[in-house]
Amino acid sequence: MKPNMTLFRPLLILALVTLSLTLQAAVPIPSPPKVAASGYLLLDFYSGKILAESNASQRLEPASLTKIMTAYAVFRELKEGNINLTDEVLVSEKAWRTPGSRMFIEVGKRVKVEDLIKGMIIQSGNDACVALAEHIAGSEETFAEVMNNHARRLGMHASHFINSTGLPDKDHYTTPEDIAKVAMATIREFPDYYKWYSEKSFVFNKIKQHNRNKLLWRDNTVDGMKTGHTEAAGYCLVASAQREQMRLISVVMGTKSEKARASASQALLNYGFRFFESHRLYSAGETLNRARIWKGNKPQIALGLAHDLHVSIPHKQYKKLNAQLDVIPTITAPVQQGQEVGQVRIELAGETIAEVPLIALESVAEGNLWQKAKDAALMWLE
Protein backbone atom coordinates (compact mmCIF):
# COMPACT_ATOMS: atom_id res chain seq x y z
CA MET A 1 0.00 0.00 0.00
CA LYS A 2 1.34 3.42 -0.95
CA PRO A 3 1.65 5.85 1.99
CA ASN A 4 -0.54 8.94 2.13
CA MET A 5 1.09 12.23 1.15
CA THR A 6 0.55 15.47 3.08
CA LEU A 7 1.36 18.85 1.50
CA PHE A 8 2.31 22.11 3.20
CA ARG A 9 4.42 25.21 2.39
CA PRO A 10 7.31 26.37 4.61
CA LEU A 11 8.64 29.95 4.66
CA LEU A 12 11.19 29.15 1.96
CA ILE A 13 8.30 28.34 -0.41
CA LEU A 14 9.31 24.71 -0.90
CA ALA A 15 6.60 22.07 -1.29
CA LEU A 16 7.16 19.26 1.20
CA VAL A 17 5.57 15.85 0.96
CA THR A 18 5.95 13.50 3.94
CA LEU A 19 5.48 9.77 4.06
CA SER A 20 5.97 9.59 7.82
CA LEU A 21 5.63 12.08 10.66
CA THR A 22 8.29 10.41 12.76
CA LEU A 23 11.67 9.00 11.87
CA GLN A 24 13.35 6.37 13.96
CA ALA A 25 16.84 4.94 13.67
CA ALA A 26 17.21 2.08 11.23
CA VAL A 27 18.04 -1.38 12.54
CA PRO A 28 21.77 -2.12 12.08
CA ILE A 29 22.53 -4.53 9.23
CA PRO A 30 25.08 -7.32 9.77
CA SER A 31 28.23 -7.26 7.66
CA PRO A 32 28.05 -9.16 4.35
CA PRO A 33 29.49 -12.67 4.22
CA LYS A 34 33.21 -12.91 3.61
CA VAL A 35 33.88 -13.89 0.02
CA ALA A 36 37.25 -15.23 -1.15
CA ALA A 37 37.30 -13.52 -4.54
CA SER A 38 39.36 -10.92 -6.40
CA GLY A 39 36.26 -8.75 -6.56
CA TYR A 40 32.54 -9.03 -5.97
CA LEU A 41 29.35 -7.01 -5.97
CA LEU A 42 25.75 -7.44 -4.84
CA LEU A 43 23.11 -4.96 -5.96
CA ASP A 44 19.38 -4.44 -6.17
CA PHE A 45 18.29 -4.54 -9.80
CA TYR A 46 15.40 -2.08 -9.44
CA SER A 47 17.03 0.62 -7.32
CA GLY A 48 20.62 0.05 -8.40
CA LYS A 49 21.73 0.21 -4.75
CA ILE A 50 24.92 -1.69 -3.93
CA LEU A 51 24.30 -3.93 -0.92
CA ALA A 52 27.78 -5.47 -0.66
CA GLU A 53 31.04 -5.08 -2.55
CA SER A 54 34.78 -5.55 -2.52
CA ASN A 55 37.12 -4.28 -5.24
CA ALA A 56 34.03 -3.66 -7.35
CA SER A 57 35.79 -1.03 -9.46
CA GLN A 58 39.03 -2.99 -9.92
CA ARG A 59 39.96 -4.07 -13.44
CA LEU A 60 39.83 -7.85 -13.71
CA GLU A 61 39.92 -10.43 -16.46
CA PRO A 62 36.31 -11.44 -17.19
CA ALA A 63 36.86 -14.76 -18.98
CA SER A 64 33.46 -15.91 -20.35
CA LEU A 65 31.57 -13.20 -18.46
CA THR A 66 32.52 -11.35 -21.65
CA LYS A 67 29.71 -13.27 -23.34
CA ILE A 68 27.15 -11.20 -21.42
CA MET A 69 28.33 -8.20 -23.44
CA THR A 70 28.58 -10.28 -26.62
CA ALA A 71 25.00 -11.44 -26.18
CA TYR A 72 23.83 -7.91 -25.38
CA ALA A 73 25.35 -6.64 -28.64
CA VAL A 74 23.65 -9.47 -30.55
CA PHE A 75 20.31 -8.68 -28.91
CA ARG A 76 20.65 -5.04 -29.97
CA GLU A 77 21.21 -6.14 -33.56
CA LEU A 78 18.07 -8.28 -33.36
CA LYS A 79 16.06 -5.39 -31.93
CA GLU A 80 17.22 -3.03 -34.67
CA GLY A 81 16.31 -5.55 -37.36
CA ASN A 82 19.86 -5.95 -38.67
CA ILE A 83 19.72 -9.71 -38.13
CA ASN A 84 16.99 -12.30 -37.46
CA LEU A 85 16.84 -15.40 -35.30
CA THR A 86 16.24 -17.49 -38.41
CA ASP A 87 19.29 -16.19 -40.29
CA GLU A 88 21.67 -18.98 -41.26
CA VAL A 89 25.30 -18.20 -40.47
CA LEU A 90 28.11 -19.74 -42.51
CA VAL A 91 30.71 -21.11 -40.09
CA SER A 92 34.21 -19.90 -40.87
CA GLU A 93 37.41 -21.81 -40.21
CA LYS A 94 38.36 -19.24 -37.58
CA ALA A 95 35.11 -19.82 -35.68
CA TRP A 96 35.51 -23.58 -35.96
CA ARG A 97 39.11 -23.45 -34.68
CA THR A 98 38.45 -21.08 -31.77
CA PRO A 99 39.88 -22.75 -28.64
CA GLY A 100 38.15 -23.22 -25.30
CA SER A 101 34.56 -24.26 -24.66
CA ARG A 102 32.54 -25.06 -27.78
CA MET A 103 29.07 -25.87 -29.06
CA PHE A 104 30.77 -27.96 -31.83
CA ILE A 105 29.70 -26.16 -34.97
CA GLU A 106 31.39 -27.37 -38.16
CA VAL A 107 33.32 -25.33 -40.71
CA GLY A 108 31.42 -24.66 -43.92
CA LYS A 109 28.05 -25.55 -42.38
CA ARG A 110 25.20 -23.06 -41.81
CA VAL A 111 23.75 -22.58 -38.32
CA LYS A 112 20.75 -20.48 -37.30
CA VAL A 113 21.39 -17.36 -35.25
CA GLU A 114 19.05 -18.63 -32.52
CA ASP A 115 21.05 -21.84 -32.16
CA LEU A 116 24.31 -19.89 -32.00
CA ILE A 117 22.90 -17.65 -29.26
CA LYS A 118 21.83 -20.66 -27.22
CA GLY A 119 25.20 -22.28 -27.81
CA MET A 120 26.91 -19.12 -26.61
CA ILE A 121 24.72 -18.58 -23.52
CA ILE A 122 23.96 -22.14 -22.36
CA GLN A 123 27.02 -24.04 -23.59
CA SER A 124 29.41 -21.05 -23.40
CA GLY A 125 30.59 -21.84 -26.92
CA ASN A 126 33.51 -19.70 -28.04
CA ASP A 127 32.98 -20.95 -31.58
CA ALA A 128 29.39 -19.62 -31.46
CA CYS A 129 30.61 -16.21 -30.31
CA VAL A 130 33.03 -15.84 -33.19
CA ALA A 131 30.46 -17.02 -35.74
CA LEU A 132 27.95 -14.44 -34.47
CA ALA A 133 30.59 -11.70 -34.38
CA GLU A 134 31.61 -12.37 -37.98
CA HIS A 135 27.99 -12.52 -39.14
CA ILE A 136 27.19 -9.16 -37.55
CA ALA A 137 30.37 -7.16 -38.14
CA GLY A 138 32.41 -9.04 -40.74
CA SER A 139 35.21 -9.79 -38.31
CA GLU A 140 35.62 -10.40 -34.59
CA GLU A 141 37.88 -7.35 -34.32
CA THR A 142 35.19 -5.06 -35.72
CA PHE A 143 32.58 -6.69 -33.50
CA ALA A 144 34.76 -5.89 -30.49
CA GLU A 145 34.45 -2.22 -31.46
CA VAL A 146 30.67 -2.65 -31.40
CA MET A 147 30.96 -4.14 -27.91
CA ASN A 148 33.08 -1.22 -26.74
CA ASN A 149 30.61 1.29 -28.16
CA HIS A 150 27.82 -0.35 -26.17
CA ALA A 151 30.04 -0.41 -23.09
CA ARG A 152 30.61 3.34 -23.30
CA ARG A 153 26.90 4.00 -23.80
CA LEU A 154 26.08 1.90 -20.72
CA GLY A 155 28.64 3.77 -18.60
CA MET A 156 31.12 0.88 -18.44
CA HIS A 157 34.06 3.26 -18.41
CA ALA A 158 36.54 0.80 -16.86
CA SER A 159 35.97 -1.91 -19.47
CA HIS A 160 37.64 -2.75 -22.76
CA PHE A 161 36.95 -5.73 -24.99
CA ILE A 162 39.32 -7.23 -27.54
CA ASN A 163 37.32 -10.33 -28.46
CA SER A 164 33.83 -11.82 -28.19
CA THR A 165 34.82 -14.87 -26.13
CA GLY A 166 36.78 -13.71 -23.12
CA LEU A 167 39.97 -15.52 -24.10
CA PRO A 168 42.89 -13.87 -22.27
CA ASP A 169 44.40 -10.63 -23.56
CA LYS A 170 46.17 -7.92 -21.58
CA ASP A 171 43.86 -5.29 -23.08
CA HIS A 172 40.67 -7.23 -22.38
CA TYR A 173 39.21 -6.34 -18.98
CA THR A 174 36.19 -5.20 -17.01
CA THR A 175 35.12 -4.70 -13.39
CA PRO A 176 32.40 -6.20 -11.20
CA GLU A 177 30.56 -2.85 -11.35
CA ASP A 178 30.75 -2.69 -15.13
CA ILE A 179 29.68 -6.26 -15.80
CA ALA A 180 26.70 -5.67 -13.49
CA LYS A 181 25.69 -2.74 -15.71
CA VAL A 182 25.42 -4.83 -18.85
CA ALA A 183 23.71 -7.62 -16.90
CA MET A 184 21.09 -5.12 -15.70
CA ALA A 185 20.67 -3.70 -19.20
CA THR A 186 20.10 -7.19 -20.60
CA ILE A 187 17.38 -8.02 -18.06
CA ARG A 188 15.73 -4.61 -18.47
CA GLU A 189 15.84 -4.33 -22.26
CA PHE A 190 15.51 -7.95 -23.39
CA PRO A 191 13.40 -9.97 -20.94
CA ASP A 192 12.37 -12.44 -23.65
CA TYR A 193 15.97 -13.19 -24.66
CA TYR A 194 17.14 -13.16 -21.05
CA LYS A 195 15.07 -16.30 -20.47
CA TRP A 196 17.72 -18.31 -22.34
CA TYR A 197 20.07 -17.75 -19.40
CA SER A 198 17.83 -19.93 -17.24
CA GLU A 199 17.94 -22.97 -19.55
CA LYS A 200 19.86 -25.83 -17.96
CA SER A 201 20.97 -27.62 -21.11
CA PHE A 202 21.09 -27.40 -24.89
CA VAL A 203 21.54 -30.07 -27.53
CA PHE A 204 23.33 -29.23 -30.77
CA ASN A 205 24.83 -31.57 -33.33
CA LYS A 206 23.55 -34.46 -31.14
CA ILE A 207 25.75 -33.26 -28.29
CA LYS A 208 24.03 -32.30 -25.03
CA GLN A 209 25.83 -29.84 -22.77
CA HIS A 210 24.70 -28.50 -19.41
CA ASN A 211 24.68 -24.89 -18.24
CA ARG A 212 27.68 -24.34 -15.96
CA ASN A 213 25.69 -22.12 -13.59
CA LYS A 214 25.14 -24.57 -10.72
CA LEU A 215 22.78 -22.18 -8.94
CA LEU A 216 20.10 -22.99 -11.52
CA TRP A 217 19.83 -26.40 -9.85
CA ARG A 218 20.30 -25.24 -6.25
CA ASP A 219 17.97 -22.24 -6.07
CA ASN A 220 14.75 -22.05 -8.07
CA THR A 221 14.68 -18.24 -7.71
CA VAL A 222 17.91 -17.95 -9.73
CA ASP A 223 17.15 -17.41 -13.43
CA GLY A 224 20.61 -16.50 -14.85
CA MET A 225 23.24 -15.44 -15.83
CA LYS A 226 26.78 -16.60 -16.78
CA THR A 227 29.90 -18.37 -15.62
CA GLY A 228 33.48 -17.77 -16.67
CA HIS A 229 36.88 -19.38 -16.15
CA THR A 230 40.44 -19.09 -17.32
CA GLU A 231 43.60 -19.79 -15.39
CA ALA A 232 44.33 -16.07 -15.13
CA ALA A 233 40.78 -14.94 -14.34
CA GLY A 234 39.92 -17.71 -11.91
CA TYR A 235 36.33 -18.91 -11.55
CA CYS A 236 33.69 -16.21 -12.08
CA LEU A 237 29.90 -16.09 -11.89
CA VAL A 238 27.21 -13.48 -12.48
CA ALA A 239 23.92 -14.59 -10.94
CA SER A 240 20.47 -13.04 -10.76
CA ALA A 241 17.53 -14.11 -8.64
CA GLN A 242 14.03 -12.79 -8.04
CA ARG A 243 12.08 -13.41 -4.84
CA GLU A 244 8.67 -11.76 -4.67
CA GLN A 245 9.13 -8.12 -5.77
CA MET A 246 12.91 -8.00 -5.31
CA ARG A 247 15.57 -8.92 -7.88
CA LEU A 248 19.25 -9.09 -6.91
CA ILE A 249 22.33 -9.41 -9.08
CA SER A 250 25.61 -10.79 -7.76
CA VAL A 251 28.97 -10.63 -9.51
CA VAL A 252 31.79 -12.80 -8.20
CA MET A 253 35.17 -12.73 -9.98
CA GLY A 254 38.42 -14.55 -9.28
CA THR A 255 37.50 -17.43 -6.97
CA LYS A 256 39.48 -20.68 -6.76
CA SER A 257 36.93 -23.25 -7.94
CA GLU A 258 33.48 -23.90 -9.42
CA LYS A 259 32.23 -24.73 -5.94
CA ALA A 260 33.67 -21.53 -4.49
CA ARG A 261 32.05 -19.25 -7.07
CA ALA A 262 28.66 -20.92 -6.61
CA SER A 263 28.85 -20.86 -2.81
CA ALA A 264 29.98 -17.23 -2.74
CA SER A 265 27.21 -16.15 -5.09
CA GLN A 266 24.56 -18.03 -3.10
CA ALA A 267 25.81 -16.52 0.16
CA LEU A 268 25.61 -12.99 -1.25
CA LEU A 269 22.11 -13.50 -2.66
CA ASN A 270 20.84 -15.00 0.59
CA TYR A 271 22.32 -12.11 2.54
CA GLY A 272 20.62 -9.53 0.34
CA PHE A 273 17.21 -11.16 0.44
CA ARG A 274 17.43 -11.78 4.19
CA PHE A 275 18.31 -8.27 5.33
CA PHE A 276 16.94 -5.93 2.65
CA GLU A 277 13.70 -5.22 0.84
CA SER A 278 12.90 -3.29 -2.33
CA HIS A 279 9.98 -0.91 -2.85
CA ARG A 280 8.65 1.06 -5.78
CA LEU A 281 7.57 4.33 -4.18
CA TYR A 282 6.30 6.20 -7.22
CA SER A 283 5.63 5.36 -10.86
CA ALA A 284 6.83 7.29 -13.88
CA GLY A 285 4.22 9.83 -14.94
CA GLU A 286 2.32 9.68 -11.65
CA THR A 287 1.16 13.11 -10.45
CA LEU A 288 2.88 13.79 -7.13
CA ASN A 289 1.80 17.40 -6.82
CA ARG A 290 0.12 20.25 -8.68
CA ALA A 291 2.08 23.46 -8.32
CA ARG A 292 1.23 27.09 -9.04
CA ILE A 293 2.49 28.26 -12.41
CA TRP A 294 2.68 31.97 -13.22
CA LYS A 295 1.88 33.76 -16.49
CA GLY A 296 0.59 30.57 -18.11
CA ASN A 297 -2.60 29.63 -19.89
CA LYS A 298 -3.57 27.55 -16.83
CA PRO A 299 -2.98 28.20 -13.11
CA GLN A 300 -1.45 24.85 -12.12
CA ILE A 301 0.96 22.30 -13.52
CA ALA A 302 1.25 18.56 -12.74
CA LEU A 303 4.60 17.43 -11.36
CA GLY A 304 6.07 13.92 -11.14
CA LEU A 305 8.94 11.66 -12.19
CA ALA A 306 10.36 10.58 -15.53
CA HIS A 307 11.15 7.07 -14.23
CA ASP A 308 9.87 4.75 -11.53
CA LEU A 309 11.46 5.46 -8.15
CA HIS A 310 12.66 2.34 -6.31
CA VAL A 311 14.52 2.15 -3.01
CA SER A 312 16.35 -0.63 -1.19
CA ILE A 313 16.06 -0.47 2.58
CA PRO A 314 16.60 -2.71 5.61
CA HIS A 315 13.74 -5.04 6.43
CA LYS A 316 10.73 -3.52 8.21
CA GLN A 317 11.86 0.09 7.79
CA TYR A 318 9.34 1.14 5.13
CA LYS A 319 7.11 3.11 7.50
CA LYS A 320 10.11 5.13 8.64
CA LEU A 321 10.87 6.61 5.24
CA ASN A 322 10.69 10.36 4.83
CA ALA A 323 10.04 11.71 1.32
CA GLN A 324 10.64 15.37 0.59
CA LEU A 325 9.49 17.05 -2.58
CA ASP A 326 11.33 20.35 -3.18
CA VAL A 327 9.84 22.55 -5.89
CA ILE A 328 11.65 25.62 -7.22
CA PRO A 329 10.16 28.79 -5.62
CA THR A 330 8.70 30.22 -8.83
CA ILE A 331 7.55 28.32 -11.92
CA THR A 332 6.88 30.66 -14.82
CA ALA A 333 5.42 29.73 -18.21
CA PRO A 334 6.31 28.57 -20.74
CA VAL A 335 7.27 25.16 -19.35
CA GLN A 336 7.96 22.11 -21.48
CA GLN A 337 6.95 18.58 -20.54
CA GLY A 338 9.96 16.88 -18.93
CA GLN A 339 11.51 20.13 -17.74
CA GLU A 340 13.15 19.83 -14.31
CA VAL A 341 11.41 21.90 -11.65
CA GLY A 342 12.77 20.47 -8.42
CA GLN A 343 13.91 17.35 -6.61
CA VAL A 344 12.38 14.38 -4.84
CA ARG A 345 14.53 13.26 -1.93
CA ILE A 346 14.00 10.07 0.12
CA GLU A 347 15.52 9.86 3.60
CA LEU A 348 15.89 7.12 6.19
CA ALA A 349 17.31 7.87 9.64
CA GLY A 350 18.39 11.31 8.44
CA GLU A 351 20.36 9.90 5.52
CA THR A 352 19.42 10.58 1.91
CA ILE A 353 19.02 7.22 0.19
CA ALA A 354 17.61 8.46 -3.14
CA GLU A 355 17.38 11.80 -4.94
CA VAL A 356 15.84 12.22 -8.38
CA PRO A 357 14.66 15.15 -10.52
CA LEU A 358 11.07 16.35 -10.23
CA ILE A 359 9.75 17.19 -13.68
CA ALA A 360 6.77 18.82 -15.34
CA LEU A 361 4.40 16.13 -16.55
CA GLU A 362 2.78 18.49 -19.06
CA SER A 363 3.63 21.52 -21.14
CA VAL A 364 2.11 24.87 -20.21
CA ALA A 365 2.24 27.70 -22.74
CA GLU A 366 2.33 31.42 -21.97
CA GLY A 367 -1.02 32.96 -21.16
CA ASN A 368 -2.59 35.92 -22.96
CA LEU A 369 -1.70 39.52 -22.15
CA TRP A 370 -4.36 39.77 -19.41
CA GLN A 371 -3.19 36.55 -17.70
CA LYS A 372 0.44 37.64 -17.77
CA ALA A 373 -0.36 41.15 -16.47
CA LYS A 374 -2.56 39.78 -13.67
CA ASP A 375 0.08 37.26 -12.55
CA ALA A 376 2.83 39.90 -12.69
CA ALA A 377 0.83 41.97 -10.22
CA LEU A 378 0.14 38.99 -7.97
CA MET A 379 3.81 37.99 -8.00
CA TRP A 380 4.78 41.50 -6.92
CA LEU A 381 2.37 41.21 -3.98
CA GLU A 382 3.65 37.78 -2.88
Side-chain angles (χ1 to χ4, degrees):
M1 179 182 296
K2 185 172 296 184
N4 292 327
M5 304 175 71
T6 304
L7 178 66
F8 61 93
R9 293 175 64 88
L11 293 177
L12 294 178
I13 320 177
L14 296 178
L16 184 64
V17 181
T18 58
L19 298 178
S20 174
L21 296 177
T22 60
L23 189 63
Q24 303 174 19
V27 176
I29 297 296
S31 300
K34 294 182 179 179
V35 174
S38 300
Y40 66 85
L41 176 73
L42 175 70
L43 59 78
D44 184 319
F45 169 77
Y46 294 108
S47 70
K49 179 179 175 60
I50 295 175
L51 306 180
E53 63 92 16
S54 177
N55 297 327
S57 59
Q58 181 177 329
R59 288 182 177 180
L60 299 170
E61 292 191 35
S64 284
L65 299 189
T66 298
K67 295 181 175 82
I68 299 175
M69 173 55 80
T70 303
Y72 178 82
V74 173
F75 297 158
R76 293 284 300 196
E77 295 296 314
L78 287 166
K79 180 180 179 180
E80 292 166 10
N82 296 327
I83 61 172
N84 295 290
L85 291 175
T86 55
D87 286 351
E88 294 192 341
V89 178
L90 182 64
V91 178
S92 70
E93 184 171 350
K94 178 184 177 180
W96 174 65
R97 289 186 180 277
T98 303
S101 52
R102 303 182 182 189
M103 70 175 290
F104 299 104
I105 53 179
E106 300 176 70
V107 64
K109 297 286 184 67
R110 293 187 177 274
V111 183
K112 289 182 180 180
V113 165
E114 182 173 352
D115 287 336
L116 290 171
I117 293 172
K118 290 181 178 180
M120 170 179 60
I121 289 175
I122 304 166
Q123 300 177 332
S124 200
N126 289 345
D127 49 359
C129 293
V130 175
L132 285 166
E134 292 177 337
H135 179 65
I136 289 169
S139 71
E140 188 179 19
E141 293 75 19
T142 302
F143 183 79
E145 293 183 27
V146 175
M147 296 168 68
N148 288 321
N149 288 338
H150 286 306
R152 284 189 289 271
R153 183 177 52 79
L154 293 172
M156 301 169 61
H157 300 303
S159 296
H160 188 258
F161 299 100
I162 292 294
N163 57 59
S164 62
T165 60
L167 290 172
D169 188 289
K170 63 182 178 61
D171 293 322
H172 189 96
Y173 51 80
T174 189
T175 69
E177 281 183 343
D178 276 3
I179 209 70
K181 290 176 182 177
V182 66
M184 291 174 69
T186 299
I187 297 169
R188 182 175 56 250
E189 296 179 35
F190 305 109
D192 290 338
Y193 299 148
Y194 173 68
K195 294 176 183 177
W196 284 325
Y197 283 99
S198 67
E199 295 191 15
K200 295 180 179 179
S201 64
F202 179 57
V203 178
F204 181 79
N205 207 10
K206 299 182 180 180
I207 300 171
K208 182 177 183 179
Q209 296 188 69
H210 293 284
N211 195 317
R212 294 171 174 83
N213 182 0
K214 301 302 182 185
L215 296 189
L216 294 175
W217 283 266
R218 295 185 188 179
D219 184 343
N220 61 12
T221 68
V222 173
D223 55 16
M225 286 191 72
K226 190 72 189 72
T227 61
H229 170 251
T230 63
E231 185 175 348
Y235 290 84
C236 309
L237 174 59
V238 175
S240 182
Q242 177 135 3
R243 300 181 190 176
E244 296 180 352
Q245 301 303 311
M246 189 176 192
R247 176 178 288 280
L248 297 180
I249 294 175
S250 65
V251 180
V252 174
M253 301 179 69
T255 66
K256 294 186 179 299
S257 67
E258 289 186 18
K259 181 179 179 181
R261 72 186 176 192
S263 297
S265 300
Q266 186 74 76
L268 287 171
L269 291 171
N270 287 344
Y271 167 80
F273 285 119
R274 167 63 182 83
F275 294 106
F276 295 90
E277 58 191 40
S278 183
H279 294 276
R280 184 177 68 178
L281 300 184
Y282 307 114
S283 301
E286 176 186 354
T287 298
L288 302 185
N289 185 29
R290 290 189 176 275
R292 180 70 163 97
I293 183 167
W294 302 93
K295 300 183 180 181
N297 62 0
K298 60 169 64 176
Q300 290 189 327
I301 184 169
L303 309 180
L305 305 178
H307 306 284
D308 292 353
L309 175 56
H310 294 264
V311 294
S312 305
I313 58 175
H315 270 312
K316 300 181 180 179
Q317 299 297 300
Y318 178 71
K319 293 182 179 179
K320 301 172 185 177
L321 288 172
N322 183 58
Q324 188 163 289
L325 188 154
D326 299 328
V327 184
I328 60 176
T330 304
I331 303 176
T332 306
V335 170
Q336 297 299 316
Q337 183 178 4
Q339 183 175 324
E340 186 173 337
V341 292
Q343 294 284 324
V344 175
R345 186 169 63 255
I346 309 298
E347 296 179 348
L348 180 64
E351 177 185 356
T352 298
I353 61 172
E355 190 170 27
V356 295
L358 181 71
I359 65 165
L361 296 179
E362 57 186 330
S363 297
V364 177
E366 284 186 322
N368 57 35
L369 290 175
W370 163 246
Q371 289 169 322
K372 289 194 287 185
K374 181 185 68 173
D375 279 358
L378 290 173
M379 290 172 70
W380 183 81
L381 294 172
E382 279 280 325

